[in-house]
Each structure stands twice: as structure tokens, then as C-alpha cells.
């Protein structure tokens, strides 16, 4: 595992299945998952539909994140962080990352992404920086994280380190020319 993997300093966890009708593992992101707000022509800032199964039976909650480890920041870029999804939640509709769409289940907590917004923001790597990887990750949790909207994505990740009991992900790419 490379030092630029989002899992490099995390414990290995049992994996489960994550699927999507909008994105494909190893695929290139398209207009809906690109960021018009950050200047990508045709970008719609819509989170993809996600479904998961096969997670540990003792799961009490889930966290859903989208992370770009290739952003030129020294710390990557968090595009989306939703915590404390009830264990009965096994899918999210497309565009659930837009708070105005009101598609997240009750009790879910959306944190501010690294663009400063409590929502999904699509891919927007700097032109000419090369391909970036986008990890859509669902983490099964032994208990809810219990963080509020003021928590940073890194703080949520720190808490997932201790409470994560399973992990599923889809890795996509995008390059701005």
C-alpha cells in the first residue's frame, strides 16, 4: 500500500460490498460528480447513488465519505463527509449530498467539506495536475461517531479509526486538462 493511499495509516478492516448506479470502481467521473461550483465546465456537484451490503452484523451506524488523496494540499481534500447513518440505512439516492434535496435519513450529520460547505462538492483537480483519485468510502461503525456539524472531516476520520469495524469503497478518477 502506498503512502498516498487513504488507508495507509488506518487499521485493516473487513471489507464489504459497495455499488453505485452512477459511478464505477476504476471509472472516470462524469458531469454529475464534477464541481461546477469550483469551475469545472458541466460539473453538477451531485453525489452518486450508493448501495452497500455484507457489512459486519454488529454494525450500529455508517459514515460515508469522498476523499481525494492527490489534492495539492499536503492533506488531501475531503469532498463529502456524512456520519451517523443508522445501521438500517444501506443506500443513498443520487444527490443525497445536497442538503436542499433533503434525501439523507433523519439523524445523519453532514460535516463541512474542505471547500467549507456542508454538502458534496464534486471533483475539481487543478488543470494539468494529472489524474486525481476519488475514494467513495462507506465505513461500518461499532457505534455512532457522535460528532456534530462543527467537527472537521479529519476529526471524523480520527473517530472512525477507533470505531470502524468494516470498510467498502469505490475508487474513481478525474483529470482536468
Amino acid at each position: 500500500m502506498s503512502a498516498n493511499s487513504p488507508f495507509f495509516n488506518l487499521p485493516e478492516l473487513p471489507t464489504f460490498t459497495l455499488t453505485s448506479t452512477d459511478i464505477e470502481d476504476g471509472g472516470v467521473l462524469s458531469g454529475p460528480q464534477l464541481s461546477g461550483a469550483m469551475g469545472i465546465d458541466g460539473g453538477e456537484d451531485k453525489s452518486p447513488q450508493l448501495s452497500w451490503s455484507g457489512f459486519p452484523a454488529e454494525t450500529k451506524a455508517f459514515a460515508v465519505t469522498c476523499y481525494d488523496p492527490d489534492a495539492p494540499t499536503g492533506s488531501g481534500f475531503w469532498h463529502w463527509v456524512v456520519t451517523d447513518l443508522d445501521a438500517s440505512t444501506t443506500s443513498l439516492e443520487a444527490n443525497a449530498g445536497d442538503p436542499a434535496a433533503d434525501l439523507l435519513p433523519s439523524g445523519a450529520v453532514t460535516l463541512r467539506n474542505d471547500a467549507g460547505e456542508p454538502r458534496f462538492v464534486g471533483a475539481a483537480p487543478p488543470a494539468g495536475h494529472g489524474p486525481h483519485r476519488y475514494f467513495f468510502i462507506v465505513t461500518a461503525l461499532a457505534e455512532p461517531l457522535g460528532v456534530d456539524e462543527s467537527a472537521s472531516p479529519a476529526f471524523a476520520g480520527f473517530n472512525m479509526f477507533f470505531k470502524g469495524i468494516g470498510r467498502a469503497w469505490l475508487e474513481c478518477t478525474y483529470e482536468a486538462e
Side-chain angles (χ1 to χ4, degrees):
M1 183 177 322
S2 78
N4 198 26
S5 164
F7 310 119
F8 179 69
N9 284 322
L10 300 179
E12 286 194 33
L13 297 176
T15 59
F16 54 97
T17 301
L18 176 61
T19 60
S20 175
T21 58
D22 298 324
I23 60 173
E24 182 179 324
D25 191 43
V28 176
L29 295 176
S30 61
Q33 286 75 48
L34 305 182
S35 182
M38 295 179 69
I40 301 296
D41 285 340
E44 299 177 31
D45 294 290
K46 289 185 177 179
S47 57
Q49 182 279 334
L50 299 170
S51 297
W52 52 93
S53 61
F55 46 86
E58 61 271 22
T59 299
K60 301 290 187 232
F62 293 102
V64 175
T65 61
C66 178
Y67 178 73
D68 170 7
D70 303 314
T73 65
S75 60
F77 193 96
W78 293 91
H79 288 259
W80 192 29
V81 179
V82 178
T83 68
D84 295 355
L85 293 161
D86 185 83
S88 65
T89 301
T90 58
S91 66
L92 294 177
E93 293 182 48
N95 205 31
D98 179 355
D102 196 28
L103 296 172
L104 288 175
S106 177
V109 178
T110 302
L111 306 183
R112 292 187 181 279
N113 56 41
D114 281 341
E117 298 291 327
R119 59 166 294 124
F120 173 80
V121 64
H129 195 253
H132 282 216
R133 296 167 295 151
Y134 298 87
F135 289 82
F136 291 85
I137 304 167
V138 177
T139 303
L141 303 168
E143 62 185 83
L145 294 185
V147 299
D148 67 23
E149 295 85 1
S150 69
S152 71
F155 186 69
F158 180 75
N159 281 281
M160 282 186 259
F161 176 86
F162 297 103
K163 297 179 180 181
I165 58 173
R167 185 181 298 129
W169 67 92
L170 297 173
E171 179 183 345
C172 302
T173 62
Y174 182 72
E175 178 176 7
E177 310 234 348

